[in-house]
Amino acid sequence: MKLIKKNISAKDASGTILLRPDLPEDLWHAYNLLQTSDLVRCTTLRKVVNTSSTGSTTSNKVRTNLTIRVTKVDFDPDSLQVRISGPNVEESKFVKMGAHHTLTLELGRNFSIEKECWDQIFLDRIEEACNPDLAAEIAAIVMQPGLAHLCLVTGSITVTKAKIDITIPKKRTGSTNHAKALKRFYEAVYQAVLRHVDFDQIKCVLCGSPGYVKDDFYKYLCEESVRRDDRKLME
């Protein structure tokens, strides 16, 4: 989630926050921010019917900005959509005042929420959505030969911080290419852990894989951390 603009009164905590959802998980956060009576403004498609001088009609969809007062909020976990229903509260060229409309929040499109009072719980959720790393207490490495994903896990979302993809040749008699490629792979994962895992915050690092890969990587990590005196990994 991207925080575009924040305008909240220090006197009574009323105000408006402008946000942009960038990931599917951001829509779940948006759903949990919304309450009935909130004002929500974003772009939407509206069907417009035009009548010509001869009486014939044509219809087309236009994109316009609408502000509605929330009466109902739905979250569809399958399509990852947030649908907000309510009456239009601002004069519009295409929608009458008071006309009922349903807005759909979309990835990559800004929307604003205006509340009479922004509770600290809502502000904390926005902070978590905009800075998911701050809420993470668990890191996870999911790996197989040549491919690994390093993720940070919060109470509501999983954020992929690094993807390591290195081709591992097959074992061949008399060739060391397989062993060298594995070492490069383990080293890349090792560096990703150092770069993305804040051990002052992360309480646990989970490592999983089919077969022996996780065990070999763990052995590599232990040996290298001792050799290099990387105390954060050693501890």
Side-chain angles (χ1 to χ4, degrees):
M1 187 89 77
K2 176 73 172 179
L3 176 61
I4 307 297
K5 188 177 181 181
K6 181 179 177 181
N7 185 17
I8 297 178
S9 169
K11 182 179 179 181
D12 59 6
S14 64
T16 303
I17 292 180
L18 182 64
L19 301 164
R20 186 185 70 226
D22 293 322
L23 301 171
E25 294 86 351
D26 294 339
L27 296 175
W28 172 248
H29 284 296
Y31 169 73
N32 284 284
L33 288 171
L34 293 166
Q35 291 179 302
T36 56
S37 80
D38 289 348
L39 296 181
V40 176
R41 179 175 178 82
C42 69
T43 62
T44 185
L45 289 174
R46 185 76 173 183
K47 184 178 180 180
V48 177
V49 178
N50 299 306
T51 304
S52 68
S53 57
T54 61
S56 61
T57 60
T58 59
S59 65
N60 63 303
K61 289 185 176 181
V62 296
R63 186 169 287 278
T64 184
N65 283 300
L66 284 185
T67 303
I68 67 171
R69 186 173 298 279
V70 178
T71 59
K72 184 181 179 182
V73 185
D74 289 312
F75 178 75
D76 185 341
D78 295 324
S79 61
L80 289 174
Q81 288 187 332
V82 179
R83 288 186 283 270
I84 310 160
S85 302
N88 179 40
V89 298
E90 287 188 2
E91 195 66 45
S92 168
K93 179 181 178 181
F94 304 109
V95 183
K96 294 180 180 179
M97 283 281 289
H100 194 273
H101 190 79
T102 298
L103 300 175
T104 301
L105 300 187
E106 303 176 41
L107 293 179
R109 290 193 180 275
N110 297 350
F111 72 96
S112 68
I113 305 174
E114 181 179 344
K115 290 180 179 288
E116 293 182 358
C117 179
W118 280 92
D119 189 279
Q120 189 60 45
I121 294 174
F122 293 124
L123 298 177
D124 290 344
R125 179 173 282 275
I126 290 175
E127 180 72 14
E128 178 185 343
C130 295
N131 302 281
D133 295 6
L134 299 179
E137 293 185 345
I138 297 175
I141 306 168
V142 183
M143 59 198 316
Q144 64 186 55
L147 179 64
H149 290 84
L150 172 62
C151 308
L152 298 181
V153 183
T154 74
S156 56
I157 61 173
T158 299
V159 182
T160 300
K161 300 298 295 181
K163 177 184 178 182
I164 298 92
D165 192 353
I166 294 176
T167 301
I168 307 294
K170 293 182 178 179
K171 284 184 178 181
R172 298 184 184 279
T173 304
S175 174
T176 60
N177 290 339
H178 176 81
K180 289 179 179 178
L182 271 179
K183 186 175 181 180
R184 285 199 307 272
F185 172 60
Y186 293 149
E187 177 61 21
V189 179
Y190 184 100
Q191 292 300 326
V193 171
L194 289 176
R195 187 162 53 251
H196 296 292
V197 178
D198 180 0
F199 286 96
D200 293 330
Q201 177 182 330
I202 297 298
K203 296 179 180 178
C204 176
V205 179
L206 305 177
C207 186
S209 77
Y212 60 88
V213 183
K214 64 182 183 300
D215 301 314
D216 286 354
F217 171 69
Y218 181 69
K219 180 181 178 182
Y220 178 88
L221 183 145
C222 291
E223 292 175 349
E224 289 299 307
S225 63
V226 171
R227 186 178 69 83
R228 305 177 193 188
D229 197 28
D230 285 330
R231 295 191 175 277
K232 287 187 177 182
L233 293 179
M234 290 167 61
E235 296 171 357

